[in-house]
């Protein structure tokens, strides 16, 4: 028996194999199917997908045998990987000086007499293992079988690449989830820690204005008012960031309940304490809903709030429609406001993305509200779209998937 040579790029090859993360992984049907196909086409009882570690040969797929590894020094595949682009064929191992005294050839139960192995070579030229077929008697492969074995090997390599990409995506997703959780915790801590100082600033501004009113000129009073307004704006900004990062919990289906749309809208409108000349039209039909009330309330608060803020008409007109089918509730909030430029309509749902215009009171938005709205709606199994004409109207249409309960 002649022991297999060690590839010149062995250290790099072993690193590539380790990075692939396939050794000792669970069986996967896709790999087993390809090994079965190779055995069928070559008309042999055994087909293997093997990978060569430093001292061990491990089988990802085993057709026709019931063990999962061997030592590398007796491995036929360890010889095959030294010819990365070639199909290695041993028609009768008993007549080949490399394998004549190999324990696998001399086995009395399942002797390896015929062997054909095609290296699994990655895009960097590393032969990680083989797709091989084995018989207990001498055999010759015809040209079609050789071509088929090479073709199936290419499919195994494609599977390995897809598997690697999926594993990388899973690792990235896990990292992003961890970072998102840390960001949520950070947002919560910052929000809590900043709220109290901001509240103190607002109260202090009112005290100074009241106590020293006679000693302050108009400019001083203006500065105090500016400080108070800025504190309110920052407080609102912090609250919206916190709402955005808590939206996953907010849209949990465990919070589903039954309620009617008119009652919900009445409560929302009362919260705004609208002083402007405004008509808000409710849906013609008072539909009974069964969904996440808290999340839907947050969505409508944002959309109706925007209809009030981003409106330059003397009389604000807002219409809310609602209908349903077997699977979804559908809502539309339409106003006669400023409108959204067409080139901004795809951007408005991105976090911190804002339309350049100021609202009714001369303030600029922070780009959090609509991103929160979309996140809530997506978590509720729905979608949202906008249709708007500048200076005329804006209409937000969204859906929410019905509860399965």
């Amino acid at each position: 028996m002649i022991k297999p040579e060690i590839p010149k790029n062995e250290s790099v090859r072993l690193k590539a194999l380790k990075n692939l993360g396939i050794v000792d992984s669970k069986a996967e049907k896709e790999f087993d199917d390809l090994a079965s196909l190779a055995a069928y086409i070559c008309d042999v009882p055994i087909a293997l997908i093997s990978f060569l570690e430093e001292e061990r040969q491990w089988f990802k797929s085993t057709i026709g045998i019931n063990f999962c590894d061997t030592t590398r020094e007796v491995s036929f595949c360890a010889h095959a990987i030294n010819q990365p682009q070639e199909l290695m064929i041993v028609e009768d191992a008993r007549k080949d000086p490399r394998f004549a005294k190999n324990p696998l050839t001399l086995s009395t139960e399942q002797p390896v007499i015929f062997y054909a192995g095609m290296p699994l070579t990655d895009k960097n030229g590393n032969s990680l293992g083989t797709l091989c077929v084995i018989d207990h008697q001498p055999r010759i492969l015809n040209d079609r079988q050789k071509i088929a074995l090479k073709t199936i090997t290419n499919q195994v390599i494609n599977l390995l690449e897809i598997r690697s990409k999926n594993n990388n995506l899973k690792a990235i997703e896990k990292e992003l989830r961890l970072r998102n959780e840390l960001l949520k915790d950070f947002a919560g801590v910052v929000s809590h820690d900043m709220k109290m100082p901001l509240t103190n600033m607002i109260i202090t501004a009112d005290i100074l204005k009241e106590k020293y009113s006679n000693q302050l000129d108009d400019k001083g009073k203006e500065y105090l008012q500016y400080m108070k307004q800025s504190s309110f704006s920052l407080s609102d900004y912090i609250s919206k960031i916190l709402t955005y990062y808590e939206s996953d919990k907010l849209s949990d289906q465990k919070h589903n309940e039954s309620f009617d749309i008119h009652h919900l809208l009445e409560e929302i409108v009362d919260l705004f304490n609208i002083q402007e000349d405004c008509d808000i039209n409710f849906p013609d039909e008072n539909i009974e809903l069964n969904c996440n009330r808290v999340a839907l309330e947050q969505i409508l608060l944002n959309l109706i709030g925007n209809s009030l803020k981003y409106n330059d008409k003397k009389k604000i007109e807002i219409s809310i429609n609602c209908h349903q089918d077997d699977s979804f509730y559908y809502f539309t909030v339409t106003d006669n406001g400023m409108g959204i430029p067409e080139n901004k309509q795809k951007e408005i749902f991105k976090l911190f993305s804002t339309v350049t215009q100021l609202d009714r009171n001369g303030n600029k938005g922070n780009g959090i509200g609509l991103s929160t709205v979309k996140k809530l709606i997506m978590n509720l199994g729905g979608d949202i779209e906008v249709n708007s004409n500048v200076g005329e109207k804006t209409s937000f249409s969204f859906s929410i998937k019905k509860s399965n309960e």
Side-chain angles (χ1 to χ4, degrees):
M1 184 185 84
I2 300 175
K3 292 183 179 181
E5 293 182 6
I6 302 299
K8 294 179 180 179
N9 66 336
E10 179 69 355
S11 61
V12 177
R13 190 193 70 81
L14 288 173
K15 184 177 180 180
L17 178 60
K18 183 177 180 181
N19 291 339
L20 190 61
I22 197 165
V23 175
D24 292 324
S25 61
K26 293 181 180 179
E28 296 177 55
K29 185 177 183 299
E30 295 83 357
F31 289 96
D32 292 341
D33 287 346
L34 291 175
S36 295
L37 182 60
Y40 174 78
I41 290 174
C42 295
D43 192 24
V44 296
I46 296 173
L48 307 169
I49 295 176
S50 70
F51 293 93
L52 278 301
E53 293 187 289
E54 189 171 2
E55 296 181 354
R56 181 175 70 135
Q57 174 181 234
W58 177 80
F59 304 128
K60 173 65 177 175
S61 291
T62 57
I63 305 300
I65 64 171
N66 57 8
F67 53 91
C68 64
D69 60 8
T70 69
T71 60
R72 181 169 170 173
E73 66 177 14
V74 301
S75 167
F76 283 53
C77 297
H79 290 270
I81 64 171
N82 285 302
Q83 299 172 316
Q85 306 301 328
E86 297 181 25
L87 176 62
M88 187 182 96
I89 298 178
V90 180
E91 294 178 354
D92 189 339
R94 296 169 300 185
K95 299 178 180 179
D96 191 312
R98 293 173 297 177
F99 308 111
K101 295 183 180 180
N102 189 301
L104 298 177
T105 305
L106 299 175
S107 171
T108 57
E109 296 181 0
Q110 291 184 314
V112 178
I113 305 301
F114 168 79
Y115 171 92
M118 186 66 197
L120 299 171
T121 305
D122 67 17
K123 60 185 178 181
N124 296 315
N126 299 303
S127 292
L128 308 177
T130 70
L131 167 64
C132 65
V133 291
I134 295 171
D135 203 344
H136 308 308
Q137 59 188 5
R139 180 174 292 279
I140 297 175
L141 295 183
N142 60 41
D143 290 341
R144 289 185 178 181
Q145 289 172 320
K146 292 176 184 178
I147 291 172
L149 195 57
K150 291 178 180 179
T151 300
I152 297 171
T153 299
N154 288 335
Q155 295 308 308
V156 175
I157 293 170
N158 289 338
L159 265 182
L160 291 173
E161 290 179 354
I162 292 170
R163 189 181 186 279
S164 179
K165 289 177 181 178
N166 286 340
N167 287 341
N168 288 337
L169 288 174
K170 288 178 182 178
I172 291 171
E173 181 183 12
K174 183 178 179 180
E175 177 67 19
L176 288 175
R177 286 183 180 278
L178 177 61
R179 291 187 180 187
N180 193 44
E181 288 301 318
L182 292 173
L183 192 55
K184 284 181 182 179
D185 293 340
F186 175 75
V189 171
V190 170
S191 298
H192 179 271
D193 290 349
M194 291 184 69
K195 281 278 190 177
M196 185 56 70
L198 286 170
T199 301
N200 290 337
M201 288 174 66
I202 293 168
I203 294 172
T204 301
D206 285 337
I207 291 173
L208 289 173
K209 187 176 180 180
E210 179 68 26
K211 188 171 183 179
Y212 300 101
S213 179
N214 295 332
Q215 302 175 38
L216 292 171
D217 57 14
D218 292 339
K219 203 65 176 176
K221 293 176 182 178
E222 183 181 334
Y223 286 149
L224 284 176
Q225 185 60 31
Y226 177 75
M227 183 177 73
K228 181 179 177 180
Q229 187 59 45
S230 296
S231 298
F232 272 123
S233 297
L234 185 55
S235 180
D236 180 61
Y237 184 75
I238 292 170
S239 296
K240 287 180 177 178
I241 289 178
L242 192 57
T243 300
Y244 178 84
Y245 285 110
E246 290 182 340
S247 58
D248 290 336
K249 295 178 182 178
L250 196 63
S251 53
D252 194 325
Q253 284 196 354
K254 293 179 181 179
H255 299 310
N256 287 349
E257 57 183 290
S258 295
F259 57 96
D260 66 73
I261 186 64
H262 281 189
H263 185 259
L264 175 64
L265 289 172
E266 286 168 0
E267 290 187 350
I268 290 173
V269 171
D270 286 344
L271 289 174
F272 285 113
N273 189 26
I274 301 169
Q275 303 297 320
E276 294 89 348
D277 186 4
C278 177
D279 281 344
I280 299 181
N281 302 307
F282 289 3
D284 294 334
E285 182 184 357
N286 188 17
I287 294 176
E288 182 76 14
L289 306 174
N290 187 292
C291 62
N292 188 318
R293 190 183 193 281
V294 176
L296 179 58
E297 181 179 21
Q298 186 65 45
I299 293 166
L300 291 171
L301 270 169
N302 272 285
L303 295 179
I304 296 172
N306 283 348
S307 292
L308 292 168
K309 287 194 297 182
Y310 296 100
N311 199 303
D312 54 356
K313 309 300 188 296
K314 289 185 178 180
K315 183 171 184 177
I316 300 172
E317 296 180 2
I318 302 172
S319 294
I320 303 155
N321 293 310
C322 177
H323 67 280
Q324 62 181 319
D325 60 21
D326 291 340
S327 302
F328 290 89
Y329 297 113
Y330 300 93
F331 304 86
T332 304
V333 179
T334 304
D335 63 60
N336 64 334
M338 302 173 183
I340 302 169
E342 186 175 355
N343 65 338
K344 291 287 186 179
Q345 290 177 17
K346 291 183 179 180
E347 302 294 320
I348 58 174
F349 296 110
K350 295 180 180 179
L351 187 61
F352 304 127
S353 176
T354 61
V355 177
T356 55
Q357 63 189 355
L358 302 178
D359 67 18
R360 190 180 184 89
N361 300 312
N363 299 314
K364 186 176 180 180
N366 48 42
I368 302 174
L370 286 177
S371 60
T372 303
V373 164
K374 182 163 186 177
K375 190 177 181 185
L376 285 168
I377 290 170
M378 298 297 284
N379 287 345
L380 293 172
D383 202 357
I384 185 170
E385 60 181 25
V386 60
N387 185 286
S388 183
N389 296 324
V390 175
E392 296 180 14
K393 69 157 193 172
T394 296
S395 181
F396 286 95
S397 299
F398 67 95
S399 58
I400 288 178
K401 191 174 180 63
K402 287 186 173 180
S403 170
N404 294 325
E405 298 179 1

